[in-house]
Amino acid sequence: VNLTVNGVEREVDSPALQSLLHVLREELGITSPKAGCQQGGCGACTVLVDGEPRRSCLIPVGAVDGASITTVEGLGTPERLSPVQAAFHEHYGAQCGFCTPGFLLATHALIERSPGADRAAIEDALAGHACRCTGYVKILEAVEAAVGGAS
Amino acid sequence: VALRDVNVVVPTSAGEALAAFGDGEGVTVVAGGTIVLPELVAGRLRPERALLLGRAGLDRITRAKGRVTIGAATPVSALEDGDEPLATAARHVGDLEVRAQATVGGNLCAEASADAPRGDLQAALIVLGAEVRSAGGGGERTEPVEQFLSGDVRRRLVLDVSYEDVPRHAAYAASWRPHAHHYTILAVAAARQDGELRVAATGVAPRAVRLTAVERSGDPADALTGLEPRDDAVASAWYRTRVLPKLVARALEGVA
């Protein structure tokens, strides 16, 4: 199985049925996707597969042979945050940080898909992401700012 | 058996998928993976062979000869703007990412567990009078959804589901679902076509059931006839017993 992860081609040795999450974290050492519930319910493992947000814990790596994967490591750098990362930073959208990678990637995909998303569309798009610190007010403010900045 | 030792097949056509599935003995079909992948990774499920269905070309929706045909590997999200009550049922599945990954065939075959109700599309497909085309031991066959669900679903490879492309009144009433709660507890689908009423519920039994007593009487008080709602991790039988007639009443209003 071959993947392009954050623009770099990687050959994967894990079994085809291994989850993309496990491959990213344990084989490729990319640790921003988090192993939360590992059954699709929390959103912390979300990555972009060919630009679309997906639960990496639910995808067998053999099903995405040849795909392009984007994680937070591919969004920005500490010196040069992506606009979405900057909005989360500015609006205190991260607390403990465990859910943040999933929220960031889902927000990136939302802005690509619907640049003028209103509050209801934002809530619908992020409904699968749980913040156990319950920092939703700040997260939604950050997302609204990011959506506004992009439109 | 180690995960590495499972024979993984990635068919690139329906024909290859049929050949690899055979009579289904020892085979696990992985379409979207939303239900089976956690089972595989955790080691609770170790088949001899796994079929990754995503590239078999079974993901199309077609309208032809008076029927709507939905390929088994069509993502649930592709139904969200389509015919009711299937569209509303689809919007109640999981969340945005899960709906884009989960498939119609997987949802059709899903069985509720002690942890969660599953198979939100089943009730909607039942009231649409949908038929399932599947393959397995004894070859290919097409049968009504209820008949398909009452058989040994694990030994069938779903190819597509189809229903008549005609105007109908349809409604879908579901229990309210809080954020970060992944499953719809209980839902009722209803459709009225050429004067015939069909009503079905999901969340009361391992798979969706047709509420024939309600279809005959039109009375929500008959909702529980022949049914014994179950407890699971998200709701009690007590709760389901009280809510089901109310959802039936709302669904019936929607097709009045």
Side-chain angles (χ1 to χ4, degrees):
Chain A
V1 171
N2 292 287
L3 301 173
T4 302
V5 184
N6 299 323
V8 179
E9 285 187 34
R10 309 291 294 261
E11 195 176 322
V12 172
D13 182 49
S14 296
L17 287 181
Q18 187 55 268
S19 72
L20 176 60
L21 172 67
H22 187 94
V23 170
L24 290 170
R25 290 182 59 87
E26 306 300 331
E27 186 180 338
L28 303 180
I30 295 169
T31 54
S32 73
K34 297 292 181 254
C37 71
Q38 299 185 68
Q39 50 186 1
C42 78
C45 70
T46 302
V47 301
L48 303 183
V49 177
D50 293 330
E52 298 291 331
R54 292 287 185 273
R55 297 275 182 274
S56 63
C57 76
L58 298 179
I59 299 179
V61 71
V64 288
D65 188 16
S68 176
I69 311 296
T70 305
T71 69
V72 163
E73 287 84 347
L75 291 186
T77 64
E79 297 74 32
R80 198 180 174 84
L81 298 175
S82 77
V84 174
Q85 288 174 307
F88 271 67
H89 182 243
E90 179 88 359
H91 293 268
Y92 300 95
Q95 195 163 329
C96 86
F98 192 85
C99 69
T100 310
F103 271 107
L104 290 171
L105 291 162
T107 302
H108 265 267
L110 170 66
I111 291 172
E112 285 288 313
R113 192 170 63 243
S114 35
D118 61 11
R119 178 69 175 241
I122 290 170
E123 289 184 10
D124 188 51
L126 301 178
H129 296 259
C131 168
R132 301 303 183 200
C133 308
T134 68
Y136 296 110
V137 171
K138 294 294 180 192
I139 290 170
L140 288 169
E141 284 173 10
V143 175
E144 283 186 310
V147 169
S151 61
Chain B
V1 184
L3 200 55
R4 192 177 287 280
D5 295 331
V6 179
N7 174 17
V8 177
V9 183
V10 189
T12 55
S13 69
E16 278 180 34
L18 293 183
F21 185 77
D23 67 359
E25 173 78 41
V27 180
T28 289
V29 177
V30 185
T34 57
I35 295 172
V36 293
L37 201 74
E39 302 299 305
L40 288 164
V41 170
R44 292 186 290 266
L45 177 64
R46 278 297 146 82
E48 290 166 31
R49 177 182 294 179
L51 221 57
L52 305 189
L53 212 54
R55 297 179 186 195
L58 292 169
D59 56 353
R60 288 184 261 279
I61 302 177
T62 55
R63 286 177 189 268
K65 295 176 187 164
R67 288 189 81 76
V68 180
T69 303
I70 303 168
T74 302
V76 171
S77 58
L79 307 179
E80 289 181 47
D81 300 317
D83 296 325
E84 294 292 357
L86 204 49
T88 304
R91 289 195 294 272
H92 276 80
V93 173
D95 53 61
L96 178 115
E97 290 96 347
V98 166
R99 289 194 292 274
Q101 192 173 333
T103 65
V104 173
N107 194 284
L108 172 68
C109 294
E111 188 174 11
S113 69
D115 296 332
R118 287 199 171 105
D120 301 64
L121 303 180
Q122 294 166 5
L125 289 168
I126 288 173
V127 302
L128 285 169
E131 292 187 331
V132 180
R133 190 166 67 97
S134 71
E140 191 180 304
R141 65 171 185 250
T142 302
E143 62 199 320
V145 173
E146 300 127 277
Q147 193 176 320
F148 173 79
L149 292 178
S150 67
D152 189 359
V153 167
R154 285 171 192 276
R155 298 291 293 271
R156 306 298 299 173
L157 176 66
V158 178
L159 298 171
D160 55 48
V161 295
S162 67
Y163 52 87
E164 280 186 279
D165 189 9
V166 294
R168 52 173 78 78
H169 295 284
Y172 190 82
S175 53
W176 178 75
R177 194 183 63 171
H179 166 65
H181 184 325
H182 221 51
Y183 298 96
T184 299
I185 296 167
L186 194 59
V188 175
R192 194 185 293 279
Q193 182 182 329
D194 302 328
E196 188 203 355
L197 175 68
R198 291 171 73 99
V199 186
T202 186
V204 279
R207 292 199 166 89
V209 288
R210 199 168 161 186
L211 306 181
T212 49
V214 173
E215 291 176 357
R216 282 193 298 272
S217 69
D219 185 353
D222 291 334
L224 290 150
T225 304
L227 289 178
E228 282 186 50
R230 319 185 320 159
D231 288 323
D232 63 18
V234 299
S236 64
W238 179 92
Y239 176 85
R240 290 186 160 95
T241 300
R242 276 149 189 80
V243 172
L244 184 66
K246 294 179 170 49
L247 294 181
V248 168
R250 268 167 47 196
L252 291 178
E253 277 172 31
V255 295

